[in-house]
Amino acid sequence: MRPVDRRTLLRAALATAGAGLLASCGEDNTPAGSMDHQSTGHGSMGHDSMGHDTAATPTPHPTGRLPKGFVGPDGPQVRAAEAARKPGRIRDFRLTATTGQIDLGGKTVSTWTYGGRLPGKPIRVTAGEVVRARLSNQLPADTTVHWHGLSLRNDADGVPGVTQKNVPTGKEFTYEFTAANPGTYWFHPHTGPQLDRGLYAPLIVDDPNEPLDYDDEWIVVLDDWLDGVTGTPERVLAELRRGMGGGMSGDSGYMTMGATSPVLGGDAGDVRYPHFLVNGRLPSAPASYRGKPGVRLRIRFVNASGDTAFRVALGGHRMTVTHTDGYAVNPVQTDALLLGMGERYDVLVTLGSGVFPLAGVAEGKKASALAVVRTGAGSAPTTRTRPRELDGHLVSYRELKPADDVRLANRAPDRTETLKLTGSMMKYDWAFDGKPYDLSHVTPVRAGERVRLNFVNTTTMWHPIHLHGHTFALGNGLRKDTAIVLPRKTLTVDFDADNPGIWMVHCHNVYHAEAGMMTLLGYRT
């Protein structure tokens, strides 16, 4: 699709959408430049040829118990794939993972964040530029950073024991990779349940030939929250691992029962959260966005939660979906969106005049996150406000079609692999094929293959499944890297094996993943 064609389609869709949302949010949602400095080439900063800190970095590419015969994270195939991305200007960023006090809006909690901000400051680059992010671990525990959704070099993927060792307390590690594909992405740890603290931030890769026509943008990050309030993610995981068969009953401690959603096919989640946030703020002191009527706004939604799907709507407006998980779709209008953990959607809206609630209902959990859009006079919405759009049209995967320029070429699969999603709340034994995560088990593929994955959900729970390092296509061609697999259903996806290395496939419910619903996919040498 030529850019002018997509712009014409989007203008037409917006013209019939009615009033929309455009607000200009400050703090973490303003475009971010480099956190440190910029350079125009590989400098001399104590890095090896792959950009890793050589002074205070653990060995970056361990194999551990990984079986032989697979492309290593730092193998020549990985370096060749990175060279083919034609790395451009290097952009330097510094991430400090630290402990501290965070104000959620009248309530202060102790948690872990990047740089003392919630969400962390966005990293923003242009497609083709190189992200060089130096992580300083000031936490009381090991950590890593995973760059969610990006097709990046394998040795920068941030999976401990697979692509690197954990970064110890007091040490640094430098991630360096080309951000080749424009879109809305984010980053978070891949060590234990640390994601369910405050360690997350957006990563925006701008298109140098942006086809969308809009005036401003707003990054909206949704999250469920308990850290520093009712406990810690580690305590939650310890309780859940005992399972309902371990003497637990519903609504005891951190486990919740009765959270149900027809949209999600039954159980909506496992964990009882006291709060739900938009951009790190409680509904009682919401994040706000100020704009002018008639402004065309691009909203980039990110679900950074640990255990919650959000149904999102903007009161008084319809949204035009333009992207999901960073990849363009033919524009579709909707009243509401459903985001599983790890999913992202971009939408366009044209703002009306007044004060409007942006509501994120915690699907099935009888609670909501809230932000406010102001373009004129009006009373602020209350914490109980429920926009009627939440009960309007909820766009589905099947309605979204990929833009022509991101559609996979029509091709029969060379390899088909079936991964069964297994486990239950009774034993809390979530896994693939009944086998908890094991570094010695790797599903093989070969470079150049079209690979078909059948995710067969044998459980009574929904699972948002995420594939690292690739974007797959659903049956209708929709490009995604994270997709919901409903209970007792099968989701079939295809992807091209064009990014060598060893990659993780896992449920993005952080507690399901840590219980064992993770596995590996590796390229044969």
Side-chain angles (χ1 to χ4, degrees):
M1 179 180 289
R2 295 176 301 169
V4 65
D5 296 332
R6 194 182 303 165
R7 182 181 291 112
T8 301
L9 283 169
L10 288 161
R11 281 188 177 278
L14 284 165
T16 59
L21 166 61
L22 170 59
S24 146
C25 178
E27 297 188 355
D28 297 305
N29 302 304
T30 54
S34 60
M35 297 180 187
D36 223 354
H37 65 276
Q38 298 177 16
S39 63
T40 56
H42 289 274
S44 176
M45 297 180 59
H47 297 85
D48 64 16
S49 61
M50 289 166 286
H52 298 96
D53 183 8
T54 57
T57 305
T59 303
H61 314 303
T63 57
R65 291 183 287 113
L66 292 170
K68 304 297 183 181
F70 290 95
V71 173
D74 60 345
Q77 301 92 333
V78 172
R79 295 193 293 272
E82 177 71 352
R85 296 184 180 101
K86 299 180 180 179
R89 180 177 64 154
I90 296 175
R91 302 284 303 280
D92 281 282
F93 302 87
R94 187 166 187 87
L95 297 175
T96 302
T98 186
T99 62
Q101 302 287 306
I102 291 293
D103 180 13
L104 303 181
K107 185 175 187 62
T108 300
V109 298
S110 296
T111 190
W112 301 356
T113 62
Y114 294 125
R117 298 176 57 159
L118 184 69
K121 184 177 182 180
I123 285 180
R124 189 157 205 146
V125 297
T126 298
E129 291 184 330
V130 174
V131 174
R132 186 162 61 191
R134 176 171 288 198
L135 170 69
S136 174
N137 183 10
Q138 302 303 317
L139 303 173
D142 296 352
T143 194
T144 63
V145 177
H146 168 60
W147 311 89
H148 183 114
L150 288 169
S151 178
L152 79 175
R153 56 182 303 153
N154 192 218
D155 53 9
D157 196 42
V159 178
V162 178
T163 66
Q164 68 173 94
K165 289 183 178 179
N166 270 310
V167 182
T169 300
K171 299 298 183 179
E172 293 190 344
F173 185 87
T174 299
Y175 296 89
E176 183 167 337
F177 57 88
T178 304
N181 300 313
T184 301
Y185 306 99
W186 63 301
F187 55 95
H188 59 80
H190 225 289
T191 301
Q194 292 178 3
L195 164 63
D196 216 16
R197 294 181 183 264
L199 291 166
Y200 57 82
L203 170 58
I204 307 302
V205 183
D206 288 314
D207 190 339
N209 301 302
E210 178 58 65
L212 297 186
D213 185 10
Y214 57 94
D215 303 306
D216 202 356
E217 73 166 46
W218 187 22
I219 304 172
V220 172
V221 183
L222 301 147
D223 191 21
D224 44 21
W225 192 271
L226 57 78
D227 192 39
V229 181
T230 58
T232 66
E234 290 77 15
R235 291 180 180 176
V236 174
L237 180 60
E239 178 183 290
L240 292 175
R241 276 178 164 160
R242 299 206 310 265
M244 295 179 65
M248 295 182 56
S249 60
D251 288 332
S252 68
Y254 300 113
M255 182 183 287
T256 186
M257 296 292 288
T260 60
S261 165
V263 175
L264 295 174
D267 280 349
D270 301 347
V271 180
R272 178 192 294 177
Y273 288 92
H275 302 303
F276 298 92
L277 311 178
V278 174
N279 290 344
R281 304 288 291 184
L282 296 166
S284 56
S288 64
Y289 185 99
R290 295 182 181 272
K292 295 180 179 180
V295 170
R296 181 173 291 151
L297 176 71
R298 179 180 193 164
I299 309 178
R300 299 178 185 263
F301 288 106
V302 179
N303 184 354
S305 64
D307 179 70
T308 302
F310 283 97
R311 184 192 298 236
V312 183
L314 176 63
H317 299 78
R318 299 199 81 199
M319 300 179 286
T320 298
V321 181
T322 64
H323 296 74
T324 179
D325 291 359
Y327 278 72
V329 300
N330 294 330
V332 173
Q333 291 184 24
T334 188
D335 295 307
L337 298 168
L338 180 71
L339 288 90
M341 295 80 81
E343 289 190 287
R344 293 91 62 210
Y345 281 88
D346 291 19
V347 303
L348 293 179
V349 291
T350 302
L351 291 179
S353 179
V355 180
F356 307 99
L358 179 71
V361 169
E363 186 69 20
K365 297 186 176 182
K366 300 178 182 178
S368 295
L370 179 70
V372 177
V373 175
R374 297 178 180 273
T375 62
S379 301
T382 70
T383 57
R384 295 185 178 181
T385 299
R386 183 182 173 90
R388 60 180 178 81
E389 286 79 8
L390 287 169
D391 301 311
H393 178 62
L394 183 66
V395 70
S396 65
Y397 291 164
R398 70 174 62 91
E399 295 174 71
L400 298 173
K401 304 297 190 295
D404 290 347
D405 52 356
V406 303
R407 182 183 290 274
L408 283 184
N410 188 24
R411 175 182 171 187
D414 301 295
R415 180 188 301 268
T416 299
E417 300 287 346
T418 296
L419 296 175
K420 291 184 179 180
L421 286 57
T422 59
S424 71
M425 291 294 292
M426 185 60 64
K427 295 184 178 180
Y428 217 77
D429 55 349
W430 307 110
F432 285 104
D433 299 315
K435 302 172 184 176
Y437 178 52
D438 183 347
L439 285 173
S440 67
H441 180 73
V442 181
T443 298
V445 301
R446 292 193 180 276
E449 291 182 327
R450 170 67 58 84
V451 181
R452 174 162 293 174
L453 297 176
N454 295 316
F455 295 111
V456 180
N457 188 353
T458 69
T459 80
T460 59
M461 189 82 181
W462 69 284
H463 303 279
I465 299 299
H466 174 48
L467 170 63
H468 286 208
H470 302 76
T471 297
F472 49 69
L474 277 60
N476 63 351
L478 180 66
R479 301 294 301 278
K480 291 183 66 60
D481 57 69
T482 310
I484 292 171
V485 187
L486 293 173
R488 307 296 187 189
K489 300 293 184 181
T490 296
L491 180 70
T492 298
V493 304
D494 290 352
F495 72 93
D496 286 337
D498 56 6
N499 195 15
I502 298 180
W503 302 98
M504 182 167 276
V505 183
H506 66 97
C507 177
H508 223 279
N509 182 313
V510 69
Y511 298 103
H512 293 184
E514 288 304 309
M517 193 174 277
M518 303 189 290
T519 190
L520 298 174
L521 181 150
Y523 284 61
R524 284 289 192 189
T525 53

PDB file of all heavy atoms in Angstrom, residues 445-473:
ATOM      1  N   VAL A 445      13.788 -25.129  14.232  1.00  0.00           N
ATOM      2  CA  VAL A 445      13.381 -24.620  12.918  1.00  0.00           C
ATOM      3  C   VAL A 445      14.663 -24.376  12.134  1.00  0.00           C
ATOM      4  O   VAL A 445      15.761 -24.405  12.680  1.00  0.00           O
ATOM      5  CB  VAL A 445      12.553 -23.314  13.020  1.00  0.00           C
ATOM      6  CG1 VAL A 445      11.296 -23.527  13.839  1.00  0.00           C
ATOM      7  CG2 VAL A 445      13.386 -22.179  13.595  1.00  0.00           C
ATOM      8  N   ARG A 446      14.516 -24.113  10.837  1.00  0.00           N
ATOM      9  CA  ARG A 446      15.672 -23.782  10.008  1.00  0.00           C
ATOM     10  C   ARG A 446      15.441 -22.434   9.320  1.00  0.00           C
ATOM     11  O   ARG A 446      14.312 -22.092   8.949  1.00  0.00           O
ATOM     12  CB  ARG A 446      15.931 -24.870   8.965  1.00  0.00           C
ATOM     13  CG  ARG A 446      16.411 -26.188   9.580  1.00  0.00           C
ATOM     14  CD  ARG A 446      16.966 -27.143   8.541  1.00  0.00           C
ATOM     15  NE  ARG A 446      17.424 -28.384   9.166  1.00  0.00           N
ATOM     16  CZ  ARG A 446      18.620 -28.548   9.718  1.00  0.00           C
ATOM     17  NH1 ARG A 446      19.482 -27.528   9.714  1.00  0.00           N
ATOM     18  NH2 ARG A 446      18.963 -29.703  10.259  1.00  0.00           N
ATOM     19  N   ALA A 447      16.521 -21.694   9.175  1.00  0.00           N
ATOM     20  CA  ALA A 447      16.454 -20.388   8.527  1.00  0.00           C
ATOM     21  C   ALA A 447      15.840 -20.514   7.141  1.00  0.00           C
ATOM     22  O   ALA A 447      16.157 -21.440   6.387  1.00  0.00           O
ATOM     23  CB  ALA A 447      17.847 -19.772   8.442  1.00  0.00           C
ATOM     24  N   GLY A 448      14.945 -19.596   6.824  1.00  0.00           N
ATOM     25  CA  GLY A 448      14.311 -19.573   5.510  1.00  0.00           C
ATOM     26  C   GLY A 448      12.982 -20.285   5.465  1.00  0.00           C
ATOM     27  O   GLY A 448      12.249 -20.163   4.471  1.00  0.00           O
ATOM     28  N   GLU A 449      12.647 -21.039   6.509  1.00  0.00           N
ATOM     29  CA  GLU A 449      11.382 -21.774   6.505  1.00  0.00           C
ATOM     30  C   GLU A 449      10.202 -20.851   6.803  1.00  0.00           C
ATOM     31  O   GLU A 449      10.326 -19.864   7.526  1.00  0.00           O
ATOM     32  CB  GLU A 449      11.401 -22.890   7.558  1.00  0.00           C
ATOM     33  CG  GLU A 449      12.327 -24.036   7.249  1.00  0.00           C
ATOM     34  CD  GLU A 449      12.256 -25.131   8.294  1.00  0.00           C
ATOM     35  OE1 GLU A 449      12.031 -24.819   9.489  1.00  0.00           O
ATOM     36  OE2 GLU A 449      12.438 -26.302   7.929  1.00  0.00           O
ATOM     37  N   ARG A 450       9.059 -21.188   6.252  1.00  0.00           N
ATOM     38  CA  ARG A 450       7.775 -20.670   6.729  1.00  0.00           C
ATOM     39  C   ARG A 450       7.305 -21.669   7.786  1.00  0.00           C
ATOM     40  O   ARG A 450       7.076 -22.837   7.498  1.00  0.00           O
ATOM     41  CB  ARG A 450       6.770 -20.549   5.585  1.00  0.00           C
ATOM     42  CG  ARG A 450       5.336 -20.236   6.012  1.00  0.00           C
ATOM     43  CD  ARG A 450       5.149 -18.860   6.624  1.00  0.00           C
ATOM     44  NE  ARG A 450       5.560 -17.778   5.758  1.00  0.00           N
ATOM     45  CZ  ARG A 450       4.786 -17.240   4.790  1.00  0.00           C
ATOM     46  NH1 ARG A 450       3.567 -17.720   4.576  1.00  0.00           N
ATOM     47  NH2 ARG A 450       5.251 -16.237   4.063  1.00  0.00           N
ATOM     48  N   VAL A 451       7.169 -21.199   9.010  1.00  0.00           N
ATOM     49  CA  VAL A 451       6.839 -22.060  10.137  1.00  0.00           C
ATOM     50  C   VAL A 451       5.407 -21.805  10.572  1.00  0.00           C
ATOM     51  O   VAL A 451       4.998 -20.650  10.750  1.00  0.00           O
ATOM     52  CB  VAL A 451       7.788 -21.822  11.320  1.00  0.00           C
ATOM     53  CG1 VAL A 451       7.442 -22.739  12.493  1.00  0.00           C
ATOM     54  CG2 VAL A 451       9.243 -22.026  10.885  1.00  0.00           C
ATOM     55  N   ARG A 452       4.676 -22.869  10.742  1.00  0.00           N
ATOM     56  CA  ARG A 452       3.303 -22.772  11.278  1.00  0.00           C
ATOM     57  C   ARG A 452       3.298 -23.301  12.705  1.00  0.00           C
ATOM     58  O   ARG A 452       3.811 -24.392  12.986  1.00  0.00           O
ATOM     59  CB  ARG A 452       2.319 -23.564  10.419  1.00  0.00           C
ATOM     60  CG  ARG A 452       0.897 -23.633  10.981  1.00  0.00           C
ATOM     61  CD  ARG A 452      -0.096 -24.028   9.904  1.00  0.00           C
ATOM     62  NE  ARG A 452      -0.200 -22.977   8.887  1.00  0.00           N
ATOM     63  CZ  ARG A 452      -0.898 -23.091   7.761  1.00  0.00           C
ATOM     64  NH1 ARG A 452      -1.539 -24.233   7.481  1.00  0.00           N
ATOM     65  NH2 ARG A 452      -0.948 -22.077   6.897  1.00  0.00           N
ATOM     66  N   LEU A 453       2.738 -22.512  13.624  1.00  0.00           N
ATOM     67  CA  LEU A 453       2.595 -22.916  15.013  1.00  0.00           C
ATOM     68  C   LEU A 453       1.116 -23.055  15.348  1.00  0.00           C
ATOM     69  O   LEU A 453       0.336 -22.115  15.122  1.00  0.00           O
ATOM     70  CB  LEU A 453       3.234 -21.882  15.945  1.00  0.00           C
ATOM     71  CG  LEU A 453       4.740 -21.658  15.818  1.00  0.00           C
ATOM     72  CD1 LEU A 453       5.185 -20.528  16.749  1.00  0.00           C
ATOM     73  CD2 LEU A 453       5.517 -22.931  16.126  1.00  0.00           C
ATOM     74  N   ASN A 454       0.746 -24.213  15.852  1.00  0.00           N
ATOM     75  CA  ASN A 454      -0.609 -24.431  16.345  1.00  0.00           C
ATOM     76  C   ASN A 454      -0.577 -24.363  17.866  1.00  0.00           C
ATOM     77  O   ASN A 454       0.003 -25.236  18.514  1.00  0.00           O
ATOM     78  CB  ASN A 454      -1.146 -25.797  15.902  1.00  0.00           C
ATOM     79  CG  ASN A 454      -1.311 -25.916  14.409  1.00  0.00           C
ATOM     80  OD1 ASN A 454      -1.813 -24.996  13.760  1.00  0.00           O
ATOM     81  ND2 ASN A 454      -0.882 -27.027  13.828  1.00  0.00           N
ATOM     82  N   PHE A 455      -1.189 -23.340  18.434  1.00  0.00           N
ATOM     83  CA  PHE A 455      -1.297 -23.228  19.885  1.00  0.00           C
ATOM     84  C   PHE A 455      -2.639 -23.820  20.303  1.00  0.00           C
ATOM     85  O   PHE A 455      -3.690 -23.219  20.069  1.00  0.00           O
ATOM     86  CB  PHE A 455      -1.194 -21.768  20.324  1.00  0.00           C
ATOM     87  CG  PHE A 455       0.138 -21.134  20.046  1.00  0.00           C
ATOM     88  CD1 PHE A 455       0.267 -20.134  19.090  1.00  0.00           C
ATOM     89  CD2 PHE A 455       1.270 -21.539  20.734  1.00  0.00           C
ATOM     90  CE1 PHE A 455       1.480 -19.534  18.835  1.00  0.00           C
ATOM     91  CE2 PHE A 455       2.507 -20.945  20.481  1.00  0.00           C
ATOM     92  CZ  PHE A 455       2.619 -19.957  19.531  1.00  0.00           C
ATOM     93  N   VAL A 456      -2.590 -24.997  20.889  1.00  0.00           N
ATOM     94  CA  VAL A 456      -3.809 -25.725  21.267  1.00  0.00           C
ATOM     95  C   VAL A 456      -4.012 -25.539  22.768  1.00  0.00           C
ATOM     96  O   VAL A 456      -3.265 -26.094  23.584  1.00  0.00           O
ATOM     97  CB  VAL A 456      -3.696 -27.216  20.918  1.00  0.00           C
ATOM     98  CG1 VAL A 456      -4.973 -27.949  21.318  1.00  0.00           C
ATOM     99  CG2 VAL A 456      -3.420 -27.395  19.427  1.00  0.00           C
ATOM    100  N   ASN A 457      -5.010 -24.756  23.130  1.00  0.00           N
ATOM    101  CA  ASN A 457      -5.259 -24.464  24.534  1.00  0.00           C
ATOM    102  C   ASN A 457      -6.161 -25.542  25.125  1.00  0.00           C
ATOM    103  O   ASN A 457      -7.367 -25.560  24.885  1.00  0.00           O
ATOM    104  CB  ASN A 457      -5.896 -23.081  24.689  1.00  0.00           C
ATOM    105  CG  ASN A 457      -5.990 -22.639  26.136  1.00  0.00           C
ATOM    106  OD1 ASN A 457      -5.700 -23.404  27.054  1.00  0.00           O
ATOM    107  ND2 ASN A 457      -6.407 -21.405  26.352  1.00  0.00           N
ATOM    108  N   THR A 458      -5.583 -26.438  25.898  1.00  0.00           N
ATOM    109  CA  THR A 458      -6.350 -27.515  26.525  1.00  0.00           C
ATOM    110  C   THR A 458      -6.871 -27.114  27.901  1.00  0.00           C
ATOM    111  O   THR A 458      -7.519 -27.919  28.567  1.00  0.00           O
ATOM    112  CB  THR A 458      -5.470 -28.772  26.688  1.00  0.00           C
ATOM    113  OG1 THR A 458      -4.457 -28.528  27.670  1.00  0.00           O
ATOM    114  CG2 THR A 458      -4.834 -29.165  25.368  1.00  0.00           C
ATOM    115  N   THR A 459      -6.604 -25.875  28.326  1.00  0.00           N
ATOM    116  CA  THR A 459      -6.960 -25.439  29.674  1.00  0.00           C
ATOM    117  C   THR A 459      -8.283 -24.689  29.675  1.00  0.00           C
ATOM    118  O   THR A 459      -8.846 -24.363  28.628  1.00  0.00           O
ATOM    119  CB  THR A 459      -5.866 -24.534  30.275  1.00  0.00           C
ATOM    120  OG1 THR A 459      -5.993 -23.201  29.756  1.00  0.00           O
ATOM    121  CG2 THR A 459      -4.475 -25.063  29.939  1.00  0.00           C
ATOM    122  N   THR A 460      -8.750 -24.358  30.868  1.00  0.00           N
ATOM    123  CA  THR A 460      -9.987 -23.584  31.024  1.00  0.00           C
ATOM    124  C   THR A 460      -9.678 -22.099  31.223  1.00  0.00           C
ATOM    125  O   THR A 460     -10.548 -21.339  31.657  1.00  0.00           O
ATOM    126  CB  THR A 460     -10.800 -24.107  32.213  1.00  0.00           C
ATOM    127  OG1 THR A 460     -10.012 -24.021  33.405  1.00  0.00           O
ATOM    128  CG2 THR A 460     -11.228 -25.550  31.988  1.00  0.00           C
ATOM    129  N   MET A 461      -8.460 -21.692  30.904  1.00  0.00           N
ATOM    130  CA  MET A 461      -7.996 -20.315  31.100  1.00  0.00           C
ATOM    131  C   MET A 461      -7.515 -19.747  29.778  1.00  0.00           C
ATOM    132  O   MET A 461      -7.013 -20.475  28.926  1.00  0.00           O
ATOM    133  CB  MET A 461      -6.847 -20.326  32.107  1.00  0.00           C
ATOM    134  CG  MET A 461      -6.396 -18.962  32.573  1.00  0.00           C
ATOM    135  SD  MET A 461      -7.481 -18.365  33.878  1.00  0.00           S
ATOM    136  CE  MET A 461      -6.745 -16.774  34.219  1.00  0.00           C
ATOM    137  N   TRP A 462      -7.658 -18.444  29.583  1.00  0.00           N
ATOM    138  CA  TRP A 462      -7.110 -17.791  28.404  1.00  0.00           C
ATOM    139  C   TRP A 462      -5.629 -17.478  28.631  1.00  0.00           C
ATOM    140  O   TRP A 462      -5.183 -17.285  29.767  1.00  0.00           O
ATOM    141  CB  TRP A 462      -7.872 -16.505  28.093  1.00  0.00           C
ATOM    142  CG  TRP A 462      -7.663 -15.410  29.100  1.00  0.00           C
ATOM    143  CD1 TRP A 462      -8.204 -15.314  30.353  1.00  0.00           C
ATOM    144  CD2 TRP A 462      -6.838 -14.250  28.932  1.00  0.00           C
ATOM    145  NE1 TRP A 462      -7.769 -14.179  30.979  1.00  0.00           N
ATOM    146  CE2 TRP A 462      -6.945 -13.500  30.136  1.00  0.00           C
ATOM    147  CE3 TRP A 462      -6.041 -13.772  27.898  1.00  0.00           C
ATOM    148  CZ2 TRP A 462      -6.269 -12.290  30.319  1.00  0.00           C
ATOM    149  CZ3 TRP A 462      -5.366 -12.567  28.084  1.00  0.00           C
ATOM    150  CH2 TRP A 462      -5.491 -11.851  29.280  1.00  0.00           C
ATOM    151  N   HIS A 463      -4.867 -17.441  27.548  1.00  0.00           N
ATOM    152  CA  HIS A 463      -3.434 -17.187  27.642  1.00  0.00           C
ATOM    153  C   HIS A 463      -3.000 -16.258  26.507  1.00  0.00           C
ATOM    154  O   HIS A 463      -3.216 -16.591  25.331  1.00  0.00           O
ATOM    155  CB  HIS A 463      -2.633 -18.488  27.549  1.00  0.00           C
ATOM    156  CG  HIS A 463      -3.006 -19.503  28.586  1.00  0.00           C
ATOM    157  ND1 HIS A 463      -2.527 -19.466  29.876  1.00  0.00           N
ATOM    158  CD2 HIS A 463      -3.832 -20.581  28.519  1.00  0.00           C
ATOM    159  CE1 HIS A 463      -3.028 -20.483  30.566  1.00  0.00           C
ATOM    160  NE2 HIS A 463      -3.819 -21.177  29.763  1.00  0.00           N
ATOM    161  N   PRO A 464      -2.376 -15.112  26.820  1.00  0.00           N
ATOM    162  CA  PRO A 464      -1.777 -14.274  25.768  1.00  0.00           C
ATOM    163  C   PRO A 464      -0.383 -14.809  25.441  1.00  0.00           C
ATOM    164  O   PRO A 464       0.533 -14.710  26.252  1.00  0.00           O
ATOM    165  CB  PRO A 464      -1.718 -12.884  26.418  1.00  0.00           C
ATOM    166  CG  PRO A 464      -1.610 -13.164  27.890  1.00  0.00           C
ATOM    167  CD  PRO A 464      -2.275 -14.488  28.149  1.00  0.00           C
ATOM    168  N   ILE A 465      -0.215 -15.389  24.271  1.00  0.00           N
ATOM    169  CA  ILE A 465       1.044 -16.042  23.900  1.00  0.00           C
ATOM    170  C   ILE A 465       1.925 -15.080  23.108  1.00  0.00           C
ATOM    171  O   ILE A 465       1.487 -14.464  22.145  1.00  0.00           O
ATOM    172  CB  ILE A 465       0.779 -17.320  23.085  1.00  0.00           C
ATOM    173  CG1 ILE A 465      -0.045 -18.312  23.920  1.00  0.00           C
ATOM    174  CG2 ILE A 465       2.089 -17.953  22.650  1.00  0.00           C
ATOM    175  CD1 ILE A 465       0.634 -18.777  25.209  1.00  0.00           C
ATOM    176  N   HIS A 466       3.186 -15.006  23.527  1.00  0.00           N
ATOM    177  CA  HIS A 466       4.153 -14.077  22.932  1.00  0.00           C
ATOM    178  C   HIS A 466       5.332 -14.857  22.355  1.00  0.00           C
ATOM    179  O   HIS A 466       5.891 -15.735  23.013  1.00  0.00           O
ATOM    180  CB  HIS A 466       4.651 -13.103  23.999  1.00  0.00           C
ATOM    181  CG  HIS A 466       5.749 -12.192  23.556  1.00  0.00           C
ATOM    182  ND1 HIS A 466       5.709 -11.482  22.375  1.00  0.00           N
ATOM    183  CD2 HIS A 466       6.939 -11.852  24.151  1.00  0.00           C
ATOM    184  CE1 HIS A 466       6.812 -10.753  22.254  1.00  0.00           C
ATOM    185  NE2 HIS A 466       7.578 -10.969  23.308  1.00  0.00           N
ATOM    186  N   LEU A 467       5.704 -14.530  21.113  1.00  0.00           N
ATOM    187  CA  LEU A 467       6.873 -15.100  20.446  1.00  0.00           C
ATOM    188  C   LEU A 467       7.941 -14.022  20.367  1.00  0.00           C
ATOM    189  O   LEU A 467       7.712 -12.946  19.806  1.00  0.00           O
ATOM    190  CB  LEU A 467       6.495 -15.581  19.044  1.00  0.00           C
ATOM    191  CG  LEU A 467       7.656 -15.987  18.122  1.00  0.00           C
ATOM    192  CD1 LEU A 467       8.420 -17.178  18.694  1.00  0.00           C
ATOM    193  CD2 LEU A 467       7.130 -16.306  16.708  1.00  0.00           C
ATOM    194  N   HIS A 468       9.106 -14.301  20.914  1.00  0.00           N
ATOM    195  CA  HIS A 468      10.206 -13.343  20.874  1.00  0.00           C
ATOM    196  C   HIS A 468      10.833 -13.273  19.479  1.00  0.00           C
ATOM    197  O   HIS A 468      10.905 -14.271  18.766  1.00  0.00           O
ATOM    198  CB  HIS A 468      11.298 -13.756  21.861  1.00  0.00           C
ATOM    199  CG  HIS A 468      10.963 -13.521  23.300  1.00  0.00           C
ATOM    200  ND1 HIS A 468      11.926 -13.286  24.258  1.00  0.00           N
ATOM    201  CD2 HIS A 468       9.781 -13.484  23.954  1.00  0.00           C
ATOM    202  CE1 HIS A 468      11.355 -13.119  25.436  1.00  0.00           C
ATOM    203  NE2 HIS A 468      10.046 -13.244  25.286  1.00  0.00           N
ATOM    204  N   GLY A 469      11.299 -12.086  19.128  1.00  0.00           N
ATOM    205  CA  GLY A 469      12.152 -11.921  17.958  1.00  0.00           C
ATOM    206  C   GLY A 469      11.470 -12.001  16.609  1.00  0.00           C
ATOM    207  O   GLY A 469      12.135 -11.881  15.577  1.00  0.00           O
ATOM    208  N   HIS A 470      10.153 -12.185  16.574  1.00  0.00           N
ATOM    209  CA  HIS A 470       9.416 -12.352  15.322  1.00  0.00           C
ATOM    210  C   HIS A 470       8.024 -11.747  15.448  1.00  0.00           C
ATOM    211  O   HIS A 470       7.509 -11.559  16.552  1.00  0.00           O
ATOM    212  CB  HIS A 470       9.255 -13.832  14.970  1.00  0.00           C
ATOM    213  CG  HIS A 470      10.541 -14.580  14.834  1.00  0.00           C
ATOM    214  ND1 HIS A 470      11.288 -14.983  15.933  1.00  0.00           N
ATOM    215  CD2 HIS A 470      11.226 -15.001  13.736  1.00  0.00           C
ATOM    216  CE1 HIS A 470      12.369 -15.619  15.521  1.00  0.00           C
ATOM    217  NE2 HIS A 470      12.364 -15.644  14.190  1.00  0.00           N
ATOM    218  N   THR A 471       7.423 -11.489  14.316  1.00  0.00           N
ATOM    219  CA  THR A 471       6.004 -11.143  14.261  1.00  0.00           C
ATOM    220  C   THR A 471       5.321 -12.191  13.399  1.00  0.00           C
ATOM    221  O   THR A 471       5.754 -12.458  12.274  1.00  0.00           O
ATOM    222  CB  THR A 471       5.789  -9.746  13.657  1.00  0.00           C
ATOM    223  OG1 THR A 471       6.409  -8.776  14.519  1.00  0.00           O
ATOM    224  CG2 THR A 471       4.318  -9.426  13.531  1.00  0.00           C
ATOM    225  N   PHE A 472       4.272 -12.814  13.937  1.00  0.00           N
ATOM    226  CA  PHE A 472       3.580 -13.869  13.200  1.00  0.00           C
ATOM    227  C   PHE A 472       2.309 -13.338  12.556  1.00  0.00           C
ATOM    228  O   PHE A 472       1.878 -12.205  12.831  1.00  0.00           O
ATOM    229  CB  PHE A 472       3.286 -15.071  14.107  1.00  0.00           C
ATOM    230  CG  PHE A 472       2.635 -14.744  15.430  1.00  0.00           C
ATOM    231  CD1 PHE A 472       1.324 -14.284  15.506  1.00  0.00           C
ATOM    232  CD2 PHE A 472       3.342 -14.926  16.616  1.00  0.00           C
ATOM    233  CE1 PHE A 472       0.724 -14.005  16.717  1.00  0.00           C
ATOM    234  CE2 PHE A 472       2.758 -14.645  17.851  1.00  0.00           C
ATOM    235  CZ  PHE A 472       1.444 -14.181  17.896  1.00  0.00           C
ATOM    236  N   ALA A 473       1.722 -14.151  11.698  1.00  0.00           N
ATOM    237  CA  ALA A 473       0.476 -13.793  11.017  1.00  0.00           C
ATOM    238  C   ALA A 473      -0.623 -14.749  11.458  1.00  0.00           C
ATOM    239  O   ALA A 473      -0.436 -15.969  11.451  1.00  0.00           O
ATOM    240  CB  ALA A 473       0.648 -13.853   9.506  1.00  0.00           C
TER     241      ALA A 473
END
